[in-house]
Amino acid sequence: MYFKEREAEMELQIRTKDDNEQCTEPLLSVQRYLNTPGLYDYVLVAERVDDTEDQNYKKQVAFIEQLKKKNMKVTIIELDDRLFYGIRAPAEIFEKYKYLLKVSDSCNWSGDQQGPVPHSTRIRIVHFFLHHTFINSGEDLRELMSKNVFEAIFCLHERKTQKILEHKWARWTALFRTQPINDIRKYFGEKVALYYLWLGWYTYLLIPAAIIGIVVFLYGLAFFNTSPLIKEVCTSDIIMCPRCDKRCQAMRLSDTCFYAKMSQLFDNEGTVAFAMFMAIWATLFLELWKRHRALHVSEWNVFDWCEDEEELILELVNDPQCTTKEFRHSYLRSTLVLVLVTCVLVVIIGLTHALVICRLVSAMLLSESSWEFLRDHANTVAVLLGAVLHYITIQIMTKVNRIVAFKICEIEKTRSFAATERSFTVKMFTFQFFTLFSSLIYVAFFLGRINGHPGNYVRLGGKWRLEECHPSGCLTDLFIQMAVILVLKQTLNNIFEFTVPWFKRCLRTTAAKKLRRKCGHCYLKTCENDDGASEPCDICKLNDWLRNYQLNGVNAFSLFNEYLEMVMQFSFTTIFVAAFPLAPLLALINNIFEIRLDAIKMLSLERRLVPKKTNDIGVWTKILEAIGVMAVIANGLVIGISSDFIPRLVYRYRYGPCANGTVTDLHCMTGYINDTLSTAYMTDANVRADFKDTQMIIEGGLNVTQCSYKDYRSDEDYTLTSQFWLILAIRFAFIILFEHVVVLCKFIAAWFVPDNPTKVKNTRLKDKLQRLRNELREMNVRYASSTEV
């Protein structure tokens, strides 16, 4: 028998009954004991080692001995080739913790200082103890697990509470029900509760954004068939120059009728108003979230809670002779980190250039395809292919970015895990942001603007001609890129996020069932009584531990993954939303399912997360504020540079039929399309070098001698016209005006909506007054007692 020399309190003898009295449903018969608060705080699992000279054996024994020196009660149960250590902390630890909370500067308002210590708090304290216990070699639990001394560590799900939460929250039939935030907080701690509170609030406020986005889309759809711009494109006889080399043919402008209609859906006057609305919406969302958060953290008595002070309290309870880590700053380390982060960003931007080259090469190859459909739609298929490749790059780089961010955080040598988490969050978000948006930035602001003109095209390596925007505008390409990435990312991520843990649990369940068969059945009489003080037998404990053991593992960054996914979605919903007004609607639909999917995964597929205490979503608030600022800049640039809003405005009031207040029978935008085109002639030697004779033959065998391209250039010497410079000046003026107006509106909205509701301020004042009154009463009692003596 392994570990024969156990202490008396760690030995539990299994008493047997007659076979006729055997329990047929041992798990159900002991549920009342397994739900007893604080029965077991943690479980360690290790492989059984028979060789007492083995290093793993010695380290296991040494670690357990260190726990016993801290008065931890350890119950060891052997099953097949595994050892299960049930760990229970003594009451004195929690009494010390409560006392230090009471005398602390910030944490004295925490609700844990009065009444019994919640089970979630017990788990958090024991988790800290386990990870700050060192054996003689100086190794801690994390290092021991990396060396396979221990196989797994987990806290136990409370079966009864778990079932209640599954019924009220973690099921698809509760899709449109309010989340039980207070119950989530009691079970998973404030950190998880605030994530679901934030996600629910974000989803709720997406409703008005989605409605306005639909209205903007319908506005474009309403003028789908009556727009003079669409009619001009669809009925035009203008011949457009080939968009690529070799097999790309010159085509009639009317062939782009479908794309002109698509562009009208997302590039109209309503887009400008919607972009301004979303920038202000992002500010209102954050300000209203701060108020919403304040109400709940005040109710939970963690408004003034301080993470650093909590850590000091736990360190003192764990080791009264501890010396805290001091804050340090090194300019050398900071410089090294800055250089490394810059190098990573350069690599990510380099990948964007690689994607651009892939699109160029694929467009060229597709234009030479033997399939007529691919030849005719080579550029569109290349755009779609580029978007899919971008999505694949995102998935690969997400894993790479995580590893690199961890390594850079190790160089920083932060003071605490909380500081490491904040640093990692900022770096990981920065890497992911550039990974996701570098390609979109290229499409929005560079595509079609640096490619030159017929007779003087810009080529990569002197070989591949840069892409051009579609004749209907660059916003269509941006819309396709965003739609593919957003739909693929949300749909596939949700599928994998649920199915992979489900499949892993199935595999682990199969292995756990083999162990359960060896557990036997429960024969212990106390397992059938209603006496809450009774403790279940080894078999009952083991069944409960195995049920938790078979679930998927979690780590300290499990919740981080959920935050990152939603914050990146928030970026898509606000940045470049001018090109994709339906983004808030897609985000809303996704989040309705995301809440339940995360809840089911967290309760049923994964081991219990360690309940963490906090009073905010941390550095994510700063990141969301930064995204709000970037949304103003990006949307202003999209409207001012990528959209045709400014050229249309200039044409209407400066060059069109209605210019200078002229009243005509024509629509004010009549002739706009022709005004935006310049002409290239095959008589020019440089133009003939760019276009082969075979490319200038259109349907019907007509050999064209001139073609048009979208630009404001002279037909004689290809110099930029005065109209180009006027439009450029107005573009910049619009961007500056747009951003200043929207930023001003953001500041007014932030000032108008206070972070803390008056109710919270008054409640905290009354609480402080009552606390001071109680302290004064206790002082008077002590003074009166000393006087009598």
Side-chain angles (χ1 to χ4, degrees), residues 603-619:
L603 269 175
S604 305
L605 302 180
E606 294 180 342
R607 294 169 185 165
R608 186 175 180 177
L609 278 172
V610 178
K612 295 290 184 68
K613 191 178 288 294
T614 187
N615 59 2
D616 199 357
I617 60 174
V619 72

Side-chain angles (χ1 to χ4, degrees), residues 33 143 149 169 200 309 325 366 430 454 511 647 650 716 737 743 773:
Y33 301 107
E143 294 171 310
V149 176
W169 176 51
E309 198 161 329
K325 294 181 181 179
L366 288 170
T430 303
V650 173
E716 288 78 24
L737 180 63
V743 168
R773 185 176 290 150

